[in-house]
Amino acid sequence: MVEYRIELVGLPVADVDRSRAFYGDTLGWPVDHDQVVSDEIRFVQVTPPGSACSIAFGNGISEMRAGSLRALQCVVTSIEEAHADLSGRGVEVSDIDDQPWGRFLYFADPDGNTWSIQELPDYSKMTASQEEHGIDAPR
């Protein structure tokens, strides 16, 4: 079987400098590239710490409407640490949402692209109620 690794996701933004400041400065994610290719194309790439997948945005990168991406998710080992980190950086972040399949928090970038952050459940401590609802430990 051929391996298919997701290593880059395009993010539609309206203002490249504002997005670079948000992802690079506010979130503190390393800016891997910021390259002006031509008058029509500027490519910025950031990578969340610990991630094998980067985020790209810029001019001439995406035909999607700015702020229309609503499906980005990161996984962390501690949702409390992620909440404290994001809040401490001035990001408007939701309260922690406890679900049987994990603990979540949510935020949006300046264009309205949304992110969910998930802490996976400790399947070794699964309750009878979770088992009744068909939530199985990973194999």
Side-chain angles (χ1 to χ4, degrees):
M1 173 62 97
V2 175
E3 287 186 8
Y4 295 90
R5 296 180 306 272
I6 297 174
E7 295 187 1
L8 186 69
V9 173
L11 186 69
V13 302
D15 184 322
V16 179
D17 289 327
R18 179 182 67 187
S19 295
R20 187 187 193 284
F22 178 76
Y23 287 99
D25 300 333
T26 302
L27 292 183
W29 295 359
V31 177
D32 307 319
H33 303 285
D34 185 347
Q35 186 69 41
V36 175
V37 178
S38 68
D39 289 340
E40 295 82 28
I41 300 173
R42 177 178 174 193
F43 178 84
V44 179
Q45 178 178 315
V46 300
T47 304
S51 180
C53 185
S54 298
I55 307 301
F57 54 86
N59 296 324
I61 301 297
S62 175
E63 294 184 17
M64 289 187 288
R65 182 179 45 81
S68 63
L69 194 53
R70 310 276 176 175
L72 297 166
Q73 182 168 315
C74 292
V75 175
V76 296
T77 56
S78 169
I79 202 73
E80 285 86 1
E81 287 179 17
H83 192 279
D85 178 59
L86 292 168
S87 297
R89 294 173 178 276
V91 176
E92 188 175 318
V93 62
S94 71
D95 291 335
I96 295 171
D97 177 18
D98 288 304
Q99 298 294 329
W101 49 88
R103 304 176 73 207
F104 297 83
L105 58 87
Y106 309 94
F107 72 93
D109 73 8
D111 284 298
N113 296 300
T114 60
W115 290 84
S116 62
I117 309 297
Q118 179 186 23
E119 176 187 320
L120 295 171
D122 182 349
Y123 289 104
S124 69
K125 297 179 181 175
M126 186 175 294
T127 66
S129 173
Q130 290 169 316
E131 290 178 13
E132 287 175 21
H133 288 91
I135 302 169
D136 295 324
R139 294 186 172 105

